Amino acid sequence: MTRLFEPPAYGPQGACFWADTVAPGDWPRLDGDVTTDVAIIGGGFTGLNAARTLARAGASVVVLEADHPGWGASGRNGGFCCLGGAKASDAMLERRFGAGAARAWAATEQAAVAHVSGLIDRHGWDVDRHSQGETLLAHTPRKFAALKASAPVLSSELGVTVELHTKDELPALGLGGPWHGAMTVPVGFALNPRKYHAGLARTAQTAGARLMAHSPVTALERLAAGWRLRTPGGTVTANRIVLATNGYSHEDLPPWMRARTLPAQSTVIVTRPLSQDEQRAAGWWSSQMAYDTRFLLHYFRLLPDGRFLFGMRGGLYATETAQARISRRIHANFNRLFPAWRDVEITHEWSGLVCLMRTLTPFVGAVPGHAGLFAALGYHGNGVAMGSYAGHLVAQRMLGRAPEGPAPEWLASEPPRFPLGRYRRLLLAPAYAVAEALDL
């Protein structure tokens, strides 16, 4: 088996704050040989949503998680359930998929947020939900001008009222900092991703899905009818498979995966709880989840217990030296944007992998040329909502059902491979350099 990054990128979560808030899951390890209708590789948001939908429809389902529950991106992300999932612009979508593609994608983004919200409300999960939509903060006057120009378009596409805030209005809103204005889109909310993950696991198990931890799939074998998946503890024979591994995918599991994705690191720090006086000193006491207008953006929010979460893109490598370099950088950026908290203790710091596609759009559908094999991946750093919805959509496709919500057909278009093969991570360096220049 081959992965793109160095082993530490796939290792323990480190000092991840979310792990302190939820008791470890007790999924058993696969021991022996089992047969099932569907095997799902990956026990994160995508895999569990697919498992829940399939099991509720009567299918027998086995979920295989490589490590402990919530080990991958679903247990490491920033907890932003918001619009996103693609990096393609409206113009790119229209050019590639035709007139109306941008509006169809906007509807899909909203449906993804509504899907997660509906699950939480229906089951009464306590996921520390907060924030009324998301706020985008302009880091230059030019970017605020761009926000003002985009607000009417967004309002039309989403069917909501997008609100603009001038630089002078931000302090009274508790959105203090070196910002030149902001825009709030009233779609989405923040949550504790591990609490959401735990709720998903319970409902999938209640529906009849079997969830297995510490059971990495080491090989896939095509049978005359179906597939056999090998793990260190046993095998699973299944009629169909779902690949739900996103940025944690293997290059050769199956070989079709090779160079289809480009994992990239993201890094997060969390402070100790901040007093109200400390929040006032920085001018930030809002519960809004927020991010800035940089291409290499920072994302941040005040957690319900008063801690402050701050994230940004990670390093190009997962070596000890590279990780130390990105750690210094995220601390420096945090201190620059929130100087009043320069001496506040950082209690947690960790990294995880997001998943980029060459098309800058997700892939959700059947894998061409591989009967019975399906995949859902490529959420471009916004997997809480879109990863959940994609799991639900791919399950509906497997069941032969029409999607319950928006689902553009082009989501099932086979993603092309990145150039440079196993060296494609080199593509990130010039992309990051250009982005940093454009962010000035």
Side-chain angles (χ1 to χ4, degrees):
M1 298 187 297
T2 305
R3 280 171 161 165
L4 192 64
F5 269 82
E6 296 80 16
Y10 308 98
Q13 290 180 338
C16 178
F17 172 69
W18 310 122
D20 294 346
T21 67
V22 179
D26 58 354
W27 304 2
R29 179 176 181 268
L30 180 66
D31 184 14
D33 302 325
V34 300
T35 299
T36 187
D37 293 330
V38 181
I40 298 175
I41 306 175
F45 297 153
T46 298
L48 291 178
N49 269 276
R52 175 185 178 275
T53 300
L54 289 163
R56 284 168 55 87
S60 59
V61 180
V62 172
V63 175
L64 298 169
E65 170 58 52
D67 208 280
H68 65 75
W71 167 76
S74 295
R76 308 186 193 208
N77 65 84
F80 285 52
C81 182
C82 57
L83 301 172
K87 287 295 184 184
S89 66
D90 284 359
M92 291 172 64
L93 292 173
E94 297 278 318
R95 185 167 60 251
R96 190 181 303 152
F97 304 116
R103 189 172 292 273
W105 177 245
T108 306
E109 292 178 282
Q110 287 181 288
V113 173
H115 171 75
V116 176
S117 180
L119 286 174
I120 294 168
D121 292 344
R122 193 153 51 247
H123 296 286
W125 297 332
D126 178 7
V127 297
D128 301 335
R129 178 172 177 166
H130 61 281
S131 185
Q132 303 300 311
E134 58 184 336
T135 297
L136 179 54
L137 296 154
H139 75 285
T140 65
R142 177 173 53 86
K143 287 295 185 178
F144 184 54
L147 291 182
K148 288 193 288 186
S150 68
V153 177
L154 271 176
S155 295
S156 175
E157 283 186 349
L158 299 173
V160 299
T161 300
V162 172
E163 189 174 359
L164 290 167
H165 317 288
T166 67
K167 179 178 181 178
D168 293 338
E169 293 170 340
L170 292 179
L173 298 173
L175 300 170
W179 318 117
H180 296 268
M183 178 176 73
T184 294
V185 181
V187 180
F189 52 92
L191 48 66
N192 179 321
R194 285 290 287 271
K195 290 185 177 182
Y196 169 55
H197 182 272
L200 279 174
R202 289 193 298 270
T203 59
Q205 288 173 317
T206 299
R210 299 176 61 185
L211 311 183
M212 304 293 177
H214 303 287
S215 301
V217 176
T218 58
L220 288 177
E221 179 185 353
R222 189 75 176 92
L223 305 177
W227 296 82
R228 180 174 292 120
L229 302 83
R230 298 191 180 278
T231 78
T235 66
V236 177
T237 301
N239 295 325
R240 290 172 291 174
I241 297 174
V242 179
L243 299 173
T245 43
N246 207 40
Y248 291 78
S249 299
H250 287 277
E251 292 285 279
D252 50 4
L253 205 66
W256 175 86
M257 280 294 299
R258 190 170 296 120
R260 302 280 183 188
T261 67
L262 179 54
Q265 292 193 107
S266 187
T267 300
V268 180
I269 57 176
V270 172
T271 72
R272 65 161 170 77
L274 300 164
S275 69
Q276 290 189 359
D277 286 343
E278 288 173 318
Q279 293 173 29
R280 294 281 174 181
W284 192 285
W285 61 87
S286 172
S287 63
Q288 280 293 100
M289 56 182 182
Y291 61 104
D292 62 27
T293 49
R294 292 173 172 86
F295 287 100
L296 297 178
L297 59 85
H298 303 98
Y299 54 94
F300 39 89
R301 61 188 175 99
L302 194 65
L303 302 181
D305 69 350
R307 297 175 186 270
F308 195 76
L309 178 149
F310 183 87
M312 59 176 279
R313 67 99 169 162
L316 293 173
Y317 301 93
T319 62
E320 184 176 347
T321 300
Q323 294 295 74
R325 186 183 303 117
I326 201 66
S327 179
R328 290 192 297 271
R329 184 162 189 170
I330 191 172
H331 283 256
N333 286 9
F334 173 72
N335 292 338
R336 177 169 53 82
L337 293 177
F338 298 96
W341 295 336
R342 177 179 297 273
D343 297 323
V344 168
E345 180 188 1
I346 304 299
T347 59
H348 298 78
E349 180 173 345
W350 70 94
S351 294
L353 293 171
V354 302
C355 183
L356 313 178
M357 310 295 281
R358 189 173 178 184
T359 58
L360 301 181
T361 54
F363 173 66
V364 183
V367 174
H370 295 70
L373 183 61
F374 295 77
L377 41 80
Y379 312 124
H380 301 87
N382 285 95
V384 178
M386 192 54 66
S388 297
Y389 191 54
H392 179 55
L393 288 179
V394 79
Q396 290 178 304
R397 184 178 293 272
M398 295 171 73
L399 293 168
R401 296 177 177 175
E404 295 174 358
E409 285 297 320
W410 45 262
L411 285 175
S413 301
E414 183 177 24
R417 288 188 167 93
F418 282 92
L420 304 185
R422 62 177 176 160
Y423 301 108
R424 65 191 182 279
R425 192 169 24 163
L426 296 173
L427 297 169
L428 291 173
Y432 285 172
V434 170
E436 287 179 349
L438 293 173
D439 284 337
L440 296 176

